[in-house]
Amino acid sequence: MTAHADERVKTMSGLRRAMIRPELGAICGAILVFSFFFLIARDSGMFAAQGIMNWTVVSAQFAIIAVGACLLMIAGEFDLSVGSMIGFAGIVIAILSVQWGLPVWFAILCAFLVALAIGALNGWLVIRTGLPSFIVTLAFLYILRGLTIWLAILTTRQTIIGGVAERAQGDWLASLFGGKILTGLFTWLAEHGVIAVFGRGTRAGQPVVDGIPMVVVWALILIVFAHVLLTRTRFGNWIFAAGGDAQAARYVGVPVDRVKILMFMFTAFCATVFATCQVMEFGSAAADRGLLKEFEAIICVVIGGALLTGGYGSVIGAALGALIFGVVQQGLFFAQAESSLFRVFLGSILIMAVIMNTWIRRTITGER
């Protein structure tokens, strides 16, 4: 007896499945961006060891906040307070460690706890009031930015608090955010002529790249964790379900409210990782740090293929979006182009990404 395909099940060719992958646009964009800057900036040092490290670090910074924004957007929500959270968490660390004299590790843990509590509050307000997350987190964008400036001026009469680097010397937790790894490997590579060394100055003979900054390590950890969570666990299915059709998800037992609150908390966690890495890198905290980062994170996610309506997206796509950002920002510098063109690029690629994502959504749903 010949088995017939169930006519209720829509079959899809391999090419069609590849075409609707959320990462497709980001992959194409990354190839185009790398090709473009290789042609116009390859002689400027952009693809030498130091140049590669420059745009890798910038891309990692974008990726850290994009990962949190990605999972939250797939769950059907937005968080516009990410940028303000970065500045707020940094000031908390600086005040507790420099002004109050507490250990840096304790200040970092306090910053994470406060950020997670604010993230939970954001999620709780969205769930309990039924207000759009855009409105709730927009309010917290202003609340946190105002609190950050007020706390800095109240304690130091200035908006930049220095002295964190001195306090962080020898601190076990600070080194996880501000140090470097594989320094011995890079020294060995320099000794064998694989990477260049400084020819003059106080660093003469030392490798131009002496290790991988912890911000890159954190970006890789968060990308791997979020990708596995989203694609290999039941909780990942819950995230997709909560953003795709929250009411239908509730009918089949998905704890939608809990999922969304946890995603707000994860977004706040990622913002605090970013803030801590910046504080340890610069040795100071500034009240204006993180400005507009919430929009850059959302653009990374959209470039990576996530739908603004939720229920569809990819962590790998968001990471590729962050890579595109980093390469373009540094590529314009190496090409000696006007830096303001970066904003032009952001707006242009956002429009193109939304158009492509809309086409993908209509392809999936069969809409016209």
Side-chain angles (χ1 to χ4, degrees):
M1 184 175 180
T2 304
H4 296 281
D6 192 336
E7 63 181 10
R8 295 169 297 177
V9 179
K10 184 181 294 185
T11 59
M12 188 179 297
S13 67
L15 177 61
R16 185 179 176 84
R17 282 196 297 269
M19 289 294 291
I20 65 171
R21 288 293 303 169
E23 305 93 347
L24 178 63
I27 292 172
C28 295
I31 293 172
L32 289 174
V33 164
F34 272 100
S35 300
F36 175 74
F37 283 107
F38 182 77
L39 290 175
I40 70 169
R42 67 177 181 272
D43 296 328
S44 64
M46 180 177 176
F47 294 97
Q50 193 170 18
I52 292 173
M53 186 56 68
N54 285 344
W55 51 258
T56 298
V57 168
V58 174
S59 299
Q61 293 173 347
F62 284 125
I64 287 174
I65 53 177
V67 167
C70 178
L71 295 190
L72 183 61
M73 283 180 62
I74 294 174
E77 306 294 345
F78 293 92
D79 189 348
L80 298 184
S81 66
V82 168
S84 297
M85 180 68 75
I86 292 170
F88 179 75
I91 288 294
V92 168
I93 293 172
I95 290 176
L96 293 180
S97 61
V98 177
Q99 299 300 312
W100 291 12
L102 297 172
V104 175
W105 64 265
F106 183 77
I108 292 173
L109 291 179
C110 286
F112 273 98
L113 289 175
V114 172
L116 290 173
I118 294 173
L121 178 59
N122 270 332
W124 182 81
L125 286 173
V126 169
I127 298 301
R128 295 294 296 177
T129 64
L131 292 172
S133 54
F134 175 87
I135 298 299
V136 173
T137 57
L138 180 62
F140 271 89
L141 180 153
Y142 285 100
I143 291 170
L144 290 177
R145 187 65 70 184
L147 278 176
T148 302
I149 297 172
W150 177 73
L151 287 172
I153 294 176
L154 179 68
T155 55
T156 66
R157 297 189 180 279
Q158 54 189 6
T159 57
I160 300 177
I161 304 176
V164 180
E166 293 76 10
R167 293 285 304 165
Q169 290 292 331
D171 188 273
W172 65 273
L173 189 55
S175 63
L176 297 181
F177 293 92
K180 293 183 178 180
I181 65 170
L182 302 179
T183 54
L185 173 62
F186 281 87
T187 300
W188 182 86
L189 291 173
E191 291 173 350
H192 289 75
V194 178
I195 59 176
V197 297
F198 290 102
R200 63 181 65 180
T202 58
R203 299 188 62 187
Q206 297 181 19
V208 294
V209 177
D210 58 357
I212 298 177
M214 287 305 299
V215 66
V216 178
V217 177
W218 273 105
L220 293 174
I221 290 172
L222 289 172
I223 290 168
V224 172
F225 168 78
H227 176 68
V228 172
L229 177 71
L230 193 63
T231 61
R232 296 288 185 269
T233 68
R234 182 175 63 174
F235 191 84
N237 292 332
W238 289 354
I239 295 174
F240 281 113
D245 189 330
Q247 194 57 49
R250 288 188 177 95
Y251 288 150
V252 296
V254 175
V256 172
D257 294 351
R258 187 174 69 184
V259 168
K260 293 195 174 191
I261 290 174
L262 286 173
M263 290 303 95
F264 275 106
M265 294 174 68
F266 182 66
T267 303
F269 176 86
C270 292
T272 309
V273 170
F274 182 99
T276 309
C277 288
Q278 278 206 328
V279 169
M280 297 307 146
E281 177 186 358
F282 297 114
S284 64
D288 63 347
R289 290 225 179 112
L291 192 65
L292 298 180
K293 289 298 180 185
E294 58 276 347
F295 298 108
E296 293 172 353
I298 291 173
I299 294 173
C300 285
V301 179
V302 173
I303 293 173
L307 295 179
L308 297 174
T309 52
Y312 186 80
S314 164
V315 173
I316 301 301
L320 287 171
L323 178 63
I324 291 172
F325 268 26
V327 171
V328 170
Q329 188 181 78
Q330 293 299 298
L332 292 174
F333 169 78
F334 280 104
Q336 297 182 342
E338 174 58 45
S339 60
S340 59
L341 291 176
F342 179 60
R343 300 297 174 188
V344 177
F345 164 80
L346 292 188
S348 301
I349 200 168
L350 176 61
I351 292 174
M352 291 187 291
V354 170
I355 292 172
M356 184 171 183
N357 292 347
T358 301
W359 174 80
I360 290 174
R361 176 178 60 82
R362 290 176 177 173
T363 301
I364 294 171
T365 61
E367 296 179 8
R368 291 187 178 182

